[in-house]
Amino acid sequence: MVSKALLRLVSAVNRRRMKLLLGIALLAYVAWLAKRVGARLLLASTSEVYGDPEVHPQSEDYWGHVNPIGPRACYDEGKRVAETMCYAYMKQEGVEVRVARIFNTFGPRMHMNDGRVVSNFILQALQGEPLTVYGSGSQTRAFQYVSDLVNGLVALMNSNVSSPVNLVSAPLPPLCRTAQTFVHL
């Protein structure tokens, strides 16, 4: 007899796999449509394509340090597949492509419980709780405000750059120092 836990696990794997396949199919349709109407295609990719990088900060020509079977592999690999598909359409079909690799973005209307560093720090500071810093606190994160991201996307779309572009601010100090800044606000 199959346990309920195993059925839940299989269901979760199937949902992730279906999201990956659906994402690929939709991107293929959008790329086809861009070719058909002569539109420039913007792919909102992610810094996650670098995996667990061994190089900091990452430049666009860094290929990353990835785990294709890890817990977030469907997301990471899905974005890598999307970039590959976009460049295949560019080379084979002449579709103009812009790929933005988006890093940590914050701003109004963030969900306070989304598990991201900025929202966690804000929520914990507002509640008077100690701020949670995972690991040693020496790791850094690069953040950007949402309006800066939008400006970067517009600039990328208006440019002649067809290679991937990291949209990110300069790296911040170690997270332990960033956390101290939130405490003092």
Side-chain angles (χ1 to χ4, degrees):
M1 186 158 141
V2 178
S3 73
K4 289 182 182 179
L6 181 58
L7 288 174
R8 282 194 302 272
L9 176 64
V10 169
S11 177
V13 168
N14 283 338
R15 281 194 306 273
R16 284 191 297 257
R17 186 179 63 212
M18 290 311 295
K19 286 179 186 176
L20 178 62
L21 294 174
L22 180 60
I24 292 168
L26 288 172
L27 179 58
Y29 175 73
V30 168
W32 170 83
L33 189 60
K35 177 184 176 4
R36 183 171 175 232
V37 300
R40 182 175 291 165
L41 187 148
L42 171 66
L43 175 68
S45 191
T46 175
S47 62
E48 300 270 344
V49 298
Y50 298 118
D52 186 14
E54 296 175 328
V55 173
H56 298 280
Q58 297 83 48
S59 64
E60 289 85 350
D61 60 353
Y62 177 63
W63 289 10
H65 179 250
V66 300
N67 177 358
I69 60 171
R72 291 185 44 83
C74 281
Y75 179 72
D76 304 350
E77 296 300 322
K79 289 295 189 174
R80 281 190 277 281
V81 167
E83 287 189 18
T84 301
M85 283 183 61
C86 284
Y87 287 112
Y89 269 87
M90 182 178 79
K91 290 174 184 160
Q92 297 171 5
E93 304 293 336
V95 173
E96 280 193 76
V97 170
R98 303 294 182 266
V99 174
R101 291 182 178 159
I102 300 170
F103 284 66
N104 300 294
T105 306
F106 68 95
R109 297 186 181 88
M110 288 180 67
H111 292 282
M112 289 310 294
N113 294 316
D114 70 2
R116 296 174 190 223
V117 172
V118 172
S119 53
N120 284 352
F121 283 176
I122 292 170
L123 185 61
Q124 290 170 336
L126 289 173
Q127 294 175 343
E129 298 175 1
L131 303 192
T132 304
V133 176
Y134 297 100
S136 67
S138 63
Q139 65 273 33
T140 61
R141 294 288 180 276
F143 299 101
Q144 64 189 335
Y145 194 69
V146 66
S147 60
D148 295 330
L149 170 63
V150 170
N151 291 337
L153 292 170
V154 170
L156 177 59
M157 284 300 284
N158 290 328
S159 76
N160 292 321
V161 177
S162 61
S163 57
V165 173
N166 291 338
L167 291 183
V168 62
S169 65
L172 290 177
L175 281 180
C176 60
R177 286 209 336 244
T178 304
Q180 291 170 350
T181 302
F182 277 84
V183 169
H184 290 61
L185 291 178

